[in-house]
Each structure stands twice: as structure tokens, then as C-alpha cells.
Amino acid sequence: MLKGNRQGRNMRELRFWLAGSSIAAMMLAMSGGALAQDVAPQTAVDDEVADIVVTGFRESLGAAINLKRQSVGSVDAIVAEDIAKFPDQNLAESLQRIPGISIQRDGGEGRAITVRGLGAQFTRVRVNGMETVATSTDGASANRDRAFDFNVFASELFSSLVVHKTAEASLDEGSLGAVVDLNTGNPLAGKDGFTFVGSATASYNDLSKKWGPRLAGLMSWKSPDGQWGVALSAAYSKLDTLQMGNNTVRWSQARFDSVDGTPCFNTTRTAGGVTTTTPNPNSGGTYTNGRVPACDQAALAFHPRIPRYGEIAQERERLGITGSIQWAPSDATKVSIDGLFSRFRETREEKWGEVLLRSNERSIDVVNPVYDSNNNMISATLNDAWVRTEHYLRKSQTKFYQLGATWDQDVSDSFRFTLLGGFSKSDASIPVETTLVFDDRDAQGYSYDYSNMQRPVLAFGTSVTDPANFQLSEIRDRPSSTVNKFRTAQLRTEWDVTEGFTVKAGAVYRRFSFDTESFQRDTVVCGNGGVDRVLGTLNCSPNGTFGPSAVYGFPVTAALAEMFNLKGANAPAGTTTQWLVPNLAAGTDFTNLYGREARIDAGNTRSVVEETKGGYIQFDAKGDIFGLEYAANAGVRYVRTNQSSVGLNNAVPVEVSRSYEDWLPAMNIAFFPHRDFVVRASVADVMTRPSLGNLTPGGSVDGFNYRVSFGNPNLSPFRATAYDLALEWYFAPQSIASVAIFKKDVQSFPIGQTINGTFASTGLPLSVIPSSSPAAGQPERDEGWAINTIVNGTGASLKGIELSVQAPFTFLPGFLSRFGGIANATFVDSSADYTVAGPAVVPGGGAVSSVRNSTLFGLSKRAFNGTLYYEDAKFSARVSASYRSGYVDQNSGTGNVFEGYNSTINVDASMRYKLTDWIELSLEGINLTDDYRDRYTDLDANRNYEQLHYGRTIQLGARFKM
């Protein structure tokens, strides 16, 4: 049996296998960072691994299997060509091939991962051994939490992705789900002299009809004496995509002006002893209060808040650079300096044609409403409707930097240490987030029909191509920035006390800082009469004025507008497909939008600083009990967290500091009853620190939905006890069949708490209400405000099973033996209690709060991944499919109980042909079924929130090496 230090070096050899024809394959030979924490004690396995040379996709799958086989805890990995030869646009899409991992997509690209049902905030990510956070933007906003945005990085930059699904005392804390290691290159592992590997690919999106480049290259040098090595890699890609479809921005209940000609609001007057009741159209008056059943039915039914079709154009540019310098003066010493830079730029442009029912129902006349069994006003015609067209532009950029140094030293045959230190920074900025709005506030004959929830018919009765019907009524700009920083110092030691017994001990210091700030230049053009708020040249009409003579914005001219044509949205016949939208360049220049003072957005300006200090001790043992071979580790990790949270309340900075500590015991054991079988068991206490957005002592105000949200800087962390039991059968070379059962008992689980109250009861000044929102003109209303905060809940539970099989079909005759397959399935269930705000039960009443049991947010009960591949000496091909069942994403609003996503299935494929030993051609297809992003609101009614598709992406490329 190997001594500990020789065994550790043998694990390093796992990272140093020389690859063949791709960048990532070459980078496998250069992979730095730990691939696994421990090695199983089987000499036979070690001897088998030592002879492997990775030369293709099939062999790289075998490499990942051997890594899994030699680990004590539950570990899965993707290495070498396994990354490069999946048709993946970024790391998230590579990781979804691993059992138990699902991803969430943004604009057709993978962005965040879920591991065994636990969302992105429960996963810790390390790059070359150091924990870090990378942030970007999605369809709504920047990531302002602990979640790691994998779309920031190109998959070509990394040689291995390793997922630790069970905890160890020596493994960094902070995860209820998993710890993911992303490892870049190691030049001392390659061949002597100079090496170059490169690839060039052209990407085409069939919805945007545009091409984009994808380039990558690696240069490395190793001295003949093997003491010095240098490597530099880079990857660049640019692609323009489109998203087409419709959304509703949720559904809600509200009282309308009239229903089928019957007024719902009246004014009662008494004169001369005679009382008369007359209709009060459009504004004011008193609701009929149960006297008109048609009005009550419409008020209590749910209708789409902003039914609309539109287009989202995205331009993405990704640049990544990695560098490594290594010095190994002897077999006992190695010093590495690793750097990583990534820049991710995105321009997002949206054009919508819609009706703004939200907060404007009081003026709208409903004709011919139709209701379904889920209490939806599924179709209707609307008069005096608020027709709106929007043009939105957001420019964002994320820059990520990391620099780290590692010193590996064998002090003696039995004692060694690793000293690691470095820093990382993720700077996500949005310098431009602009919206211009055209309104026609008394439009007639608008109709919608959601009989088919995915493909509604939306038809404008009033012309939406005539500038004379519109006024430029609202301007917005919301620049923001989010900065995350990590500083890390870590010492890890190992002492082989005797044959088969090792003591590991270490200490860690981390300082994490999070700062986000947001600003607003928003304003509605007109207030409640008087001169306009933008140029001071209009005499505005008072609120509630209707008809052609009402002035609520600047007259729209041809110079301020551009024509939009809806194509590719799969809209049914009868839908309006052409309308005017604001011209952003002309409109921002006309209103001097960017010259206006940017006011601070108090609800989205906050910071958190966390300083963690801790250490661990772990005992590793291996041997046999009554002839049964085993490997085990057991230990405890201690960490103290000092936390300071700053937010704005009443526009005044508020700071709250606190400290807490955690003792986290963990034990893993692997039994080897037979050469081909491994049985693993694990139990550990784990924790995840609270969401950053929930820690703010400040508050935010949503004047569109009449919601106020407060944070809670004294939230307890998520704490849980995790159990894991797995059986693995290595039934043939490069083959595995496995089953894993897992369970997590979550003791503390923050939950939302909502009450209904007046705005005055919050103690916030009126100035914090966004000036462009309806609440700015009407801060108090009969329905009140939904006031949300976060409190410590009673806990939750999660349990599941994970099945996986992987094998080449070598048992088949002839060319069929060159096929192979990978398949895995994950089934998860969980239970958690949430406080939700459900439907109003009386017309105009507030939402009714109740406790509702559901799964943990972000948890899909079922997930499947499968790949069928073929590979010979010249040609290889594969097709992959990933299925994720629907899941609840978060609490909803406006009376809907939860919201989330319906099931998705993504199919990708690739083909490669090796022309020579140094050049290979490739053809890849991504999202071949053009799957839709199907988002819903209300778990029971499954109302349409969003239906968007982003087309197929085809990639043609070549890889070469020198």
C-alpha cells in the first residue's frame, strides 16, 4: 500500500495525463488545484490509473470515473476532452452533465446550477482552490447574492470541474449543496519545450440570423530539467441572439370601471330630500360593493397585468485569460502562481407592445369577459385601456480577477503542507439601463385571449402605428454596480502517523466584501397637473383626465419613434405584429435623460462584510476489518463569522454588526467489498450563510406593486445535517453503475413574512417611492401595501435518490462496439413551510396571508441527463439531452401563490472528424429542439408569466495543435 506522500503524488499524476487533440485535453495535462480530497486504499486501482493516457472523449470519461472511484466522499468530475467535446457554451452547461446537477438558463445560456435540489446560493465555488463569487446580469437584474454566475467563464479555460457532494472537515464550509472546484492549467505537467493548442469556431443563431466568432488558444513551455513551467491560455467569443415571445408580468385582481356596460362605481348625491345615484366613470366614486355580481366576478378574477408580445436582443462578448508560472526545484517542492481574468459584456435591448392594466383597472371598461375554472378572466375586450409601447436598453459588464499562489512542500516522507493565498474581485456594472415609454391612455377595442396560455391572441383596436395616438410619458435610467471581493489565506498540513493513518490539520482566513449601489433618473413626464417634470414646456392635465385632450406627455413625432415588426414569436393569427416604439437615441437626447441628476436607489444600495476565521482537524484511515477493505475520514471544522451589514432606511445609513460560530463535524467512509464495488456513507453538519439581500437593515419600495420589503441583518444561517449512502459498481473498464440516497434535515430556514398595512405604518418618507410609479401620486389606497420582511423559520427537509450508469458498448459486434452511453436520473422531494399572500376574497380587499407547504425554492423533483456517443480513430459524434421538471422559484405577488418554471428539455449534439494528427473539424448544435423558457405565476393555476424562445445555435469549428 502506498505511503501518504507517494499516494498524494500519484493523485497529482491524475491531473498530469497528457491529452491529445483539444485545448481542454491539453489543459488536463496542466490542471492545477485539488481534484479530490482523498484516495481509496486499493493498490490495484492505483496501478491501473498510472497506465492511463487520455487520448479521446471515451478515455476522458474513464479518467473521471477513476477520480470518483478513488475518492472517499461523493465526488463527480468532468476532465479533459469531456469538457471540450460537449457542445457547451460555458461552465454551467458542462456541469449539467453530472448526476444531480440542473441548470437555469438566461437568454439561451446556462447561468446558475442546482445540486441535488438545492439552488445556486447553497453551492460554494472555488477557482484553483480559493472560494470566490462571480456575478453577472440576467433578464431582470444583476446577481446581488452569493450565487455564482458560471456564464462569466468559457469552458475552454478550465481543465477539470470537480463537484464535492458530501462534506469533509478539510473542505471549505458554506455549502448545503456542494463545493465546486474549477481548475485551470499546470505547465509542469506537460511535455518539455514549447506547446501550442488552438481552436476557431463560427457560431450561428437561427433566430437572430447572425454569426459570431469563438476562439481559444493555449501556449506553454517547460524547461528540459523540469524545474520551470509557464502557461498562458485565452478564450474569446461573441454572439448575438434573440429571444421572442410574450409575458404578462404576473396576473392580479382589481375592480374595473364597468363590466358589459354596467357601471361598477357610482356617485350618490342628496338634494332637496331626493337621493340620486349616477355612474362615475374612469375615476373617483364608490364601488357597488356586492350589488352588481358582474363587477364582483371581474374584480375577484385574475387578469393579466401587462399582456404583451416583444423581442429581446442580446449581444454577448466573453474574454478569458489564464496564466500560470511554476517552479519545482526538487520533487519535494513546488511553487505555483496562477492568475485568471475574465470579462463578460452584454447589451440587452427589449421592444414591447402592451396594455398596462396594472394599477389602471379603475378606468377600464370590460366587455365580453370569459372566465375559466382557475378563476382567470381568460379573455375580454377593453375600452379606455392604457396602451403602452416600451423600448429598453441595458449595457452591462462583469470583470473578474483572481491571483493566487500555492506552495506545496514535502518536509519529510511523512509530513507535508500546502500554503495558499490570494485574492479575487468580481465587478459587475450596469452603466446604462434605460427605458422610454409611449402611452395612449384612452385606447378603444383592445382584446386579449389566453385560452391558450402559451400562445395568447393580443390585438390592439386603436392604431399603434400612428404617432399621433401616442405621447412620450415616462423616462427611466437605473445605473448600478455590484462588487464582490475575496481575500484568502489557508494552511493545510498532512502527517502520516503510521501506515494507513494520516492526520490533517489546517487553518483558514477569509474576508469577503459585498457592495452594491443603484441610482435612478426615473420620472413620469407629467405629475398631477402643472408644468411637466422634464423640460417645463407642457401644461399637464390633472390625474384622472381622459380623452384626446388629456396631456400626460410630449407629443410623439416621427423623429422620436421607430417601427417594430414582430417576427419569430409564434404568435397566433389575430395578434397585432407591428407597432411604434420610442427611438432611444432621439428620445434620450430630446429629454436630456443622461444629463439628469442620478438619485440613489435606497432599496438596492447596501453592503455586507464577512470575516471568517477557522480551522479543522481530520483523521484519515485505511485498512481492512475482517478482510473488508475500507478508507475513511472523520473530523471537525470550526469557523467564526464576523458580519457587518449596512443599508439605507429613511435615506439614513444603518449598520448592524454581529458574530456567530459553527462547529461542523463530518465523517465519510468507503468500503471495498470487491474489486469492482464501492459502498460509501457520509454524515456531516453543514451551513450556508444567509442571502446577502436578506441581510440589509434597510428597506426597498415597489410603487408599482405597492410592496415594501425590509431585510433582517440578524438572520441565522441555513444549518443542516446531511446524510449520504451510495453503492457503485465498476462492472467493466470505463464503466460504472451507481445509486446514491441522500437526505438533508435543515434546522434553520429563513422565510418571508407578509402583512398588509398603510404606507405610513412603515415609517418611510414619501420620497423613497419611485417617482415614475402609480404610488407616487397615490401613496395610500384602500387595498393597502404588502409589507414584507424575512424571519427565521422552523426548518425544512430534503431527500432524494440519484441513479447513474455509464459504459462504452464494447460488448457489441463490429462498429457498434464504438458506441457508448451515459445516463443519470435524480429524484428529489422536500418540504418547507412558507408564509404566502394569496387571493383577495372581497373586491378591492388586500391579499390574504397563510402558511403554505411546498418544496424548497429552485428544487426540481425530477432531472434526467443522457448522452449517446460514437468514437473511432477519425470520427466521433454524440447527442445529449437534459430534462428538468418544473419547480417553484420564489414567492410571488398580487395574490398569486408562488411562481416558478415549467419543465424544460434541451437537446445538443456534436460531430468531429480528425483530418490529421494535428487538426480536427467540428460541427455542433445547441438547443436543437428550440425549447421555450416557460415561466408561470401561481402554483395551482399555472398562469402564464413568460413564454420566450431563443433559437438554435450551430457551431462550425477547427482545432489544431503544434
Side-chain angles (χ1 to χ4, degrees):
M1 220 167 276
L2 294 175
K3 293 288 288 181
N5 64 326
R6 293 190 58 198
Q7 181 173 301
R9 287 177 188 162
N10 196 54
M11 271 305 291
R12 293 174 196 166
E13 293 303 316
L14 277 169
R15 310 178 212 131
F16 298 166
W17 300 329
L18 185 62
S21 61
S22 74
I23 293 170
M26 176 58 70
M27 291 182 69
L28 171 64
M30 300 181 170
S31 69
L35 286 183
Q37 296 292 308
D38 292 289
V39 183
Q42 294 173 286
T43 307
V45 172
D46 293 331
D47 293 340
E48 182 180 332
V49 170
D51 295 331
I52 294 177
V53 176
V54 176
T55 58
F57 175 74
R58 181 178 294 186
E59 285 80 4
S60 70
L61 296 177
I65 287 178
N66 277 292
L67 172 59
K68 180 180 182 68
R69 188 173 188 173
Q70 295 191 68
S71 302
V72 177
S74 178
V75 172
D76 282 290
I78 307 177
V79 297
E81 296 183 0
D82 207 349
I83 296 174
K85 289 195 172 181
F86 276 125
D88 300 329
Q89 300 172 97
N90 59 51
L91 293 179
E93 295 180 16
S94 297
L95 284 165
Q96 73 174 329
R97 316 296 175 186
I98 288 178
I101 293 185
S102 300
I103 68 172
Q104 187 168 2
R105 293 177 181 262
D106 168 31
E109 287 193 3
R111 184 186 182 202
I113 68 170
T114 295
V115 182
R116 289 181 168 178
L118 289 169
Q121 76 177 90
F122 298 106
T123 298
R124 297 281 69 81
V125 176
R126 304 189 300 187
V127 177
N128 292 331
M130 295 193 302
E131 183 181 349
T132 190
V133 172
T135 58
S136 67
T137 59
D138 68 0
S141 63
N143 170 14
R144 297 187 176 102
D145 212 333
R146 299 182 191 273
F148 189 95
D149 288 339
F150 289 91
N151 58 355
V152 172
F153 301 106
S155 57
E156 290 96 333
L157 294 176
F158 295 87
S159 58
S160 66
L161 314 179
V162 182
V163 180
H164 306 270
K165 296 179 182 176
T166 58
E168 298 184 6
S170 58
L171 194 63
D172 288 344
E173 86 291 338
S175 163
L176 261 64
V179 174
V180 178
D181 276 318
L182 312 178
N183 303 305
T184 60
N186 184 332
L188 283 181
K191 64 181 182 180
D192 294 348
F194 177 79
T195 300
F196 175 74
V197 181
S199 69
T201 302
S203 299
Y204 175 78
N205 181 266
D206 71 346
L207 201 56
S208 68
K209 311 295 184 185
K210 292 184 179 180
W211 290 87
R214 187 181 180 105
L215 308 170
L218 166 69
M219 294 185 294
S220 69
W221 174 82
K222 179 181 175 182
S223 64
D225 60 7
Q227 293 191 4
W228 287 93
V230 181
L232 179 69
S233 66
Y236 173 82
S237 65
K238 187 177 186 299
L239 184 63
D240 297 348
T241 61
L242 282 180
Q243 296 183 66
M244 305 293 297
N246 66 85
N247 69 26
T248 63
V249 200
R250 301 188 185 93
W251 294 55
S252 65
Q253 300 165 295
R255 298 173 298 184
F256 290 90
D257 186 31
S258 69
V259 177
D260 281 333
T262 301
C264 298
F265 289 84
N266 297 314
T267 297
T268 301
R269 296 180 177 89
T270 301
V274 178
T275 300
T276 60
T277 299
T278 58
N280 207 109
N282 299 126
S283 65
T286 302
Y287 183 68
T288 54
N289 282 328
R291 295 189 298 274
V292 182
C295 292
D296 291 348
Q297 185 178 16
L300 291 174
F302 281 84
H303 60 269
R305 295 170 71 242
I306 311 179
R308 61 184 185 175
Y309 271 98
E311 168 190 287
I312 303 171
Q314 290 174 281
E315 299 176 5
R316 288 190 171 109
E317 183 183 43
R318 186 181 287 110
L319 172 67
I321 301 172
T322 70
S324 179
I325 301 174
Q326 293 188 314
W327 176 51
S330 69
D331 289 343
T333 303
K334 185 175 75 171
V335 177
S336 303
I337 299 176
D338 299 295
L340 172 64
F341 169 78
S342 180
R343 187 191 68 204
F344 177 60
R345 290 176 174 169
E346 182 187 59
T347 298
R348 180 184 179 100
E349 187 174 7
E350 304 180 12
K351 300 175 182 179
W352 299 99
E354 63 200 37
V355 163
L356 194 68
L357 282 89
R358 180 203 67 198
S359 303
N360 297 310
E361 292 91 348
R362 172 63 188 86
S363 68
I364 295 175
D365 301 312
V366 177
V367 180
N368 297 326
V370 177
Y371 305 94
D372 69 5
S373 59
N374 287 318
N375 194 32
N376 298 315
M377 187 190 294
I378 204 73
S379 66
T381 297
L382 309 178
N383 293 320
D384 284 350
W386 193 317
V387 167
R388 169 170 288 190
T389 69
E390 295 188 31
H391 195 168
Y392 169 90
L393 175 68
R394 181 179 67 209
K395 296 182 178 180
S396 63
Q397 175 175 271
T398 297
K399 288 185 177 180
F400 178 88
Y401 314 81
Q402 178 170 298
L403 183 64
T406 305
W407 175 16
D408 292 304
Q409 182 67 50
D410 291 352
V411 180
S412 66
D413 283 346
S414 61
F415 184 76
R416 57 204 166 271
F417 70 80
T418 296
L419 183 63
L420 179 149
F423 69 89
S424 67
K425 178 182 178 182
S426 177
D427 185 347
S429 62
I430 304 176
V432 174
E433 188 171 6
T434 299
T435 306
L436 296 185
V437 170
F438 286 168
D439 279 341
D440 176 7
R441 298 185 179 178
D442 60 350
Q444 306 299 307
Y446 174 81
S447 65
Y448 70 83
D449 185 349
Y450 279 86
S451 299
N452 182 335
M453 272 286 181
Q454 284 69 41
R455 299 180 61 219
V457 179
L458 307 181
F460 295 91
T462 305
S463 172
V464 286
T465 60
D466 183 357
N469 286 331
F470 287 110
Q471 298 179 39
L472 173 58
S473 62
E474 190 174 333
I475 58 176
R476 304 176 200 153
D477 187 44
R478 300 173 180 177
S480 63
S481 70
T482 300
V483 178
N484 293 290
K485 296 179 182 178
F486 266 98
R487 293 207 302 261
T488 302
Q490 195 170 112
L491 174 66
R492 300 192 293 262
T493 67
E494 298 182 14
W495 175 32
D496 300 323
V497 180
T498 63
E499 181 79 16
F501 184 74
T502 299
V503 177
K504 296 179 179 180
V508 63
Y509 168 83
R510 285 191 302 270
R511 186 182 189 275
F512 167 61
S513 65
F514 158 84
D515 288 279
T516 183
E517 57 180 2
S518 298
F519 301 89
Q520 290 188 356
R521 296 187 176 95
D522 296 12
T523 187
V524 290
V525 172
C526 286
N528 188 13
V531 297
D532 70 87
R533 299 172 174 178
V534 178
L535 301 179
T537 60
L538 292 177
N539 290 316
C540 298
S541 301
N543 291 344
T545 304
F546 290 87
S549 62
V551 176
Y552 43 83
F554 297 106
V556 172
T557 64
L560 290 175
E562 62 183 68
M563 192 67 70
F564 170 73
N565 292 286
L566 181 69
K567 298 178 180 179
N570 199 25
T575 298
T576 302
T577 58
Q578 186 180 60
W579 57 83
L580 291 176
V581 296
N583 181 297
L584 286 180
T588 55
D589 181 64
F590 172 73
T591 59
N592 190 31
L593 175 59
Y594 301 129
R596 296 176 63 84
E597 179 184 0
R599 305 179 306 277
I600 194 164
D601 178 0
N604 288 311
T605 298
R606 56 186 182 270
S607 65
V608 177
V609 175
E610 287 177 349
E611 202 172 60
T612 58
K613 301 173 184 177
Y616 67 89
I617 185 167
Q618 179 175 303
F619 304 97
D620 290 16
K622 54 189 175 183
D624 62 80
I625 302 175
F626 303 114
L628 178 62
E629 240 180 332
Y630 76 92
N633 62 59
V636 63
R637 188 177 190 91
Y638 167 79
V639 61
R640 180 178 178 84
T641 304
N642 298 315
Q643 190 178 82
S644 175
S645 304
V646 178
L648 297 178
N649 202 327
N650 290 341
V652 176
V654 178
E655 181 174 358
V656 178
S657 298
R658 54 116 176 225
S659 298
Y660 54 88
E661 60 184 18
D662 286 274
W663 293 88
L664 304 170
M667 182 178 70
N668 295 269
I669 187 166
F671 292 104
F672 307 91
H674 182 272
R675 172 186 174 87
D676 297 330
F677 287 92
V678 181
V679 179
R680 305 185 195 278
S682 172
V683 60
D685 284 345
V686 292
M687 60 88 78
T688 290
R689 295 176 178 88
S691 301
L692 296 170
N694 291 341
L695 288 173
T696 175
S700 64
V701 177
D702 179 355
F704 293 95
N705 298 305
Y706 285 85
R707 277 193 304 215
V708 179
S709 299
F710 289 94
N712 183 349
N714 292 308
L715 282 177
S716 298
F718 299 83
R719 293 188 174 102
T721 301
Y723 307 90
D724 198 272
L725 179 65
L727 171 64
E728 299 163 7
W729 177 27
Y730 299 88
F731 56 89
Q734 303 172 348
S735 303
I736 181 176
S738 66
V739 56
I741 302 171
F742 53 89
K743 185 175 187 292
K744 298 183 192 292
D745 291 328
V746 184
Q747 287 86 42
S748 60
F749 184 75
I751 60 173
Q753 186 178 76
T754 302
I755 62 173
N756 195 265
T758 64
F759 186 79
S761 69
T762 68
L764 295 171
L766 295 175
S767 60
V768 302
I769 301 177
S771 60
S772 61
S773 67
Q778 186 185 2
E780 302 292 0
R781 61 172 187 166
D782 293 341
E783 296 90 336
W785 289 69
I787 303 172
N788 305 321
T789 190
I790 304 294
V791 298
N792 292 312
T794 57
S797 64
L798 178 151
K799 57 186 176 182
I801 185 170
E802 190 177 275
L803 308 172
S804 179
V805 63
Q806 174 179 320
F809 300 160
T810 51
F811 55 88
L812 295 176
F815 81 97
L816 295 177
S817 65
R818 301 185 182 276
F819 283 91
I822 309 168
N824 59 71
T826 306
F827 303 91
V828 190
D829 196 10
S830 70
S831 177
D833 289 332
Y834 300 89
T835 301
V836 299
V841 295
V842 296
V848 178
S849 295
S850 63
V851 175
R852 177 72 180 264
N853 185 270
S854 181
T855 60
L856 292 167
F857 291 163
L859 183 145
S860 292
K861 290 188 174 183
R862 298 175 304 281
F864 307 100
N865 287 294
T867 297
L868 178 66
Y869 66 85
Y870 173 90
E871 186 171 60
D872 61 29
K874 289 283 189 180
F875 177 76
S876 65
R878 64 194 52 85
V879 60
S880 301
S882 297
Y883 168 83
R884 181 179 185 182
S885 66
Y887 60 95
V888 173
D889 186 48
Q890 61 185 2
N891 271 324
S892 191
T894 61
N896 295 277
V897 178
F898 302 125
E899 60 189 49
Y901 295 83
N902 289 310
S903 62
T904 61
I905 183 166
N906 289 91
V907 179
D908 308 323
S910 68
M911 295 186 295
R912 298 173 184 274
Y913 183 75
K914 187 180 293 186
L915 286 177
T916 68
D917 288 340
W918 56 274
I919 189 166
E920 181 183 69
L921 304 180
S922 64
L923 171 64
E924 300 173 343
I926 299 167
N927 189 34
L928 293 177
T929 58
D930 192 13
D931 195 46
Y932 272 64
R933 175 184 168 107
D934 183 358
R935 188 176 180 184
Y936 69 83
T937 187
D938 198 273
L939 180 63
D940 302 318
N942 204 273
R943 301 180 178 106
N944 174 323
Y945 190 127
E946 182 178 65
Q947 281 284 319
L948 294 171
H949 72 131
Y950 41 85
R952 304 166 183 84
T953 299
I954 307 299
Q955 298 181 343
L956 298 170
R959 301 173 185 266
F960 49 91
K961 66 176 182 177
M962 296 175 56

